[in-house]
Amino acid sequence: MQQGPPPPPPGADPQLWSWFTAVDTDRSGQLTVDELQRALVNGDWSPFNIETVRMMVNMFDADNTGTIDFNEFAGLWRYIEDWKRCFQAFDADGSGSIDAKEMHNALRTFGYNLSDRFVSILIQKFDKYGTGTGKGDVTFDNFVQACVNVKTLTDSFRAYDTDGDGWIQINYENFLELVIRQQA
């Protein structure tokens, strides 16, 4: 006899609990990266980039289990909703994706004064359709990943930029440490 989903925890948002239990296909009470990826879609109905999903799980996995429980999921959901509003605000043409001009505007608004050349490289890196198509735009999931990467790398850089002049000098191992910590 198949059981229905367990009742929501006290004080839980019933809609959010319903989504959580629908995504928790193995009924473990924990969401894996794969379960979460199957639940998240972009505006064009494409699944979220698995790297973006991993990054978000790592950010919200407070107990370091490699999965997220309902409380962690609630925090993650708020985070996604905040990013969705942000994405929609910068998608000036309403296309459902962010082009180079919109990305430049978003990054400038976030306090990053980056060159057109760098923004072009960022768009190429996070354009899921690939750099060969000339499309040159970024879907919601990749926009989140790009912005979080810029912030994380900037924070890492600033840890070495002790005088705040925008220049650092580091040895090879310090550079590797900076990059590896960012990727963890």
Side-chain angles (χ1 to χ4, degrees), residues 128-144:
K128 79 171 187 171
Y129 297 108
T131 57
T133 65
K135 199 161 172 67
D137 57 13
V138 175
T139 53
F140 171 65
D141 57 338
N142 291 331
F143 173 73
V144 173

Side-chain angles (χ1 to χ4, degrees), residues 37 51 90 92 119 122 146 148 164:
Q37 184 195 29
E51 291 305 316
F90 290 110
V119 172
L122 194 64
V148 169

Side-chain angles (χ1 to χ4, degrees), residues 106-167:
L107 292 169
R108 191 172 33 252
T109 301
F110 299 151
Y112 304 111
N113 189 18
L114 301 166
S115 70
D116 288 340
R117 181 181 165 277
F118 177 79
V119 172
S120 176
I121 291 168
L122 194 64
I123 291 287
Q124 287 177 0
K125 167 84 175 149
F126 291 99
D127 175 6
K128 79 171 187 171
Y129 297 108
T131 57
T133 65
K135 199 161 172 67
D137 57 13
V138 175
T139 53
F140 171 65
D141 57 338
N142 291 331
F143 173 73
V144 173
Q145 188 180 7
C147 292
V148 169
N149 270 296
V150 168
K151 181 191 183 322
T152 305
L153 286 168
T154 300
D155 292 347
S156 297
F157 181 90
R158 286 180 179 156
Y160 286 93
D161 186 14
T162 55
D163 60 0
D165 68 354
W167 289 89

Side-chain angles (χ1 to χ4, degrees), residues 65-76:
T65 60
T67 58
I68 55 174
D69 64 21
F70 177 71
N71 290 329
E72 293 164 337
F73 176 74
L76 171 65

